[in-house]
Amino acid sequence: MTNVSTHPSYQQLPIIDLSAADRGPQARALLHAQLHSAAHDVGFFQLVGHGVGREEVSSLLSAMRKFFALPEAERLALDNVRSPHFRGYTRTGDERTGGSRDWRDQLDIGAEREARTPGADEPAYWWLQGPNQWPGALPELRTAALGWVERLSSVAERLLHELLASIGAPADFYDPIFGAHAHPHLKLVRYPGSAGDGADQGVGAHKDYGFLTLLLQDQVGGLQVQREDGRFHDVPPLDGAFVVNLGELLEVATNGYLVATNHRVVSPPGATERFSVPFFYNPRLDARVEPLAFPYASAAPGVSDDPTNPLFAEYGYNELKGKLRAHPLVAERHHGTLLTPA
């Protein structure tokens, strides 16, 4: 395995071709070596050869742009403050990362399920299960978004299998905690340009709290990843690629051998718009992430120790922690007595 930290290059993330898994043992072995290095040393990479076609991408982006072109009143009719499940539209500036305002607006979408109100003896994370909010004037958005969730879930499942195999673990080890009751999450995000007050936080530095994130970004740029030198480096858009990063649960599962990496978005200049579509591949809310047995476990450095960001093996608590911090208006209206799990 190449140690990328020996001769680091920050011009681009590692590029992984997932289709190499189908090109014979030698190509698959090389894929595994590259994937192992990227996941262990960087926690981020560009994914090509994923099989998602340009027509699928265009369909989603077209519906997405139509949504953000709707009159503000129609978007605000889907305000996520109306949803105890943290679903719907978030106005520019209403989301927080690291306690500071994120200068973007977005639509949060999850698996389409009946609302679940947790009982007194049930974990509070069941509040995260519920229906989405959709614009009545744009039925194609629902079709495109839910189709994307299904399509990317398939890509992410295949990628996770190859990633686990690349470090010598059973490829299907975590299959039981996904399946029909997995908790995927999709964001349709617009960065409307700079805030005008000197603040350039499109979204502040953070780590994702699931297994894998697959990001479709446009050509504007602005995503930055913290690399081995401790600095944040730009991720130049790569046509046809998904930017992939590992979430906190994979760090927990491997005791820190695979890394969840800090990243952020700097607002585009002036009135330039940037569009991005992050997809989060997450297990069931009640899934407990069992430690992974793999040959490199003895080299694992341990999970990141951050008192302000405790990590939980039970996925629902990880997501609830993040939602309560990121959406204070929703938390205040619906969950005023709900404390972040400790």
Side-chain angles (χ1 to χ4, degrees):
M1 182 180 68
T2 301
N3 184 350
V4 298
S5 63
T6 302
H7 301 288
S9 172
Y10 302 130
Q11 299 304 307
Q12 181 55 277
L13 295 173
I15 299 172
I16 303 295
D17 183 356
L18 187 57
S19 68
D22 299 324
R23 294 202 295 269
Q26 186 173 358
R28 190 167 184 236
L30 178 58
L31 165 66
H32 285 176
Q34 294 170 334
L35 194 52
H36 186 160
S37 177
H40 173 56
D41 297 322
V42 187
F44 262 85
F45 51 89
Q46 298 266 24
L47 185 72
V48 299
H50 44 68
V52 179
R54 291 187 181 274
E55 288 187 5
E56 296 173 274
V57 172
S58 295
S59 177
L60 177 70
L61 294 181
S62 174
M64 174 183 177
R65 288 178 179 271
K66 288 178 183 177
F67 171 75
F68 286 109
L70 290 174
E72 184 180 40
E74 293 187 36
R75 284 180 275 124
L76 288 177
L78 312 180
D79 197 324
N80 73 342
V81 175
R82 296 157 48 100
S83 168
H85 320 294
F86 298 87
R87 305 291 179 86
Y89 177 68
T90 303
R91 290 175 290 189
T92 302
D94 276 2
E95 189 173 20
R96 298 286 188 272
T97 301
S100 299
R101 175 192 67 185
D102 293 329
W103 200 246
R104 63 179 184 175
D105 60 343
Q106 65 190 33
L107 186 68
D108 281 278
I109 299 161
E112 193 71 83
R113 299 198 176 110
E114 293 293 325
R116 178 166 177 178
T117 301
D121 60 343
E122 292 184 307
Y125 56 65
W126 288 116
W127 279 112
L128 300 173
Q129 177 176 304
N132 295 298
Q133 298 191 75
W134 302 106
L138 199 59
E140 62 264 39
L141 180 66
R142 184 181 191 276
T143 300
L146 293 181
W148 193 257
V149 169
E150 183 175 354
R151 186 73 168 93
L152 269 288
S153 292
S154 177
V155 174
E157 179 184 36
R158 183 184 183 203
L159 175 60
L160 180 60
H161 283 179
E162 297 299 337
L163 174 58
L164 295 182
S166 78
I167 61 171
D172 60 354
F173 185 82
Y174 289 116
D175 282 6
I177 65 173
F178 284 90
H181 297 286
H183 192 75
H185 179 205
L186 175 67
K187 286 178 179 278
L188 307 180
V189 184
R190 173 179 61 177
Y191 297 87
S194 61
D197 60 2
D200 64 354
Q201 177 171 302
V203 60
H206 66 285
K207 299 177 181 180
D208 295 341
Y209 34 75
F211 264 72
L212 292 169
T213 301
L214 280 69
L215 172 73
L216 174 66
Q217 63 170 341
D218 65 14
Q219 296 301 306
V220 172
L223 174 65
Q224 296 182 335
V225 172
Q226 191 172 34
R227 300 295 297 269
E228 298 91 333
D229 62 354
R231 300 178 180 179
F232 283 88
H233 293 267
D234 292 329
V235 178
L238 183 64
D239 185 42
F242 292 118
V243 180
V244 176
N245 65 281
L246 279 59
E248 292 173 339
L249 289 188
L250 273 172
E251 185 171 309
V252 170
T254 60
N255 197 31
Y257 187 80
L258 300 182
V259 294
T261 304
N262 272 318
H263 53 289
R264 67 188 185 189
V265 174
V266 176
S267 293
T272 303
E273 288 185 319
R274 175 182 185 264
F275 293 89
S276 71
V277 185
F279 169 77
F280 306 91
Y281 185 58
N282 304 321
R284 301 189 322 263
L285 287 170
D286 61 348
R288 290 194 62 83
V289 180
E290 299 297 331
L292 189 66
F294 63 107
Y296 303 91
S298 62
V303 174
S304 301
D305 183 16
D306 182 355
T308 68
N309 182 39
L311 302 183
F312 304 96
E314 196 165 348
Y315 171 66
Y317 285 125
N318 259 0
E319 179 162 335
L320 180 64
K321 169 194 67 178
K323 287 290 198 292
L324 292 172
R325 291 178 175 180
H327 298 281
L329 298 180
V330 178
E332 181 180 353
R333 172 177 284 195
H334 299 285
H335 309 296
T337 61
L338 190 59
L339 299 177
T340 302

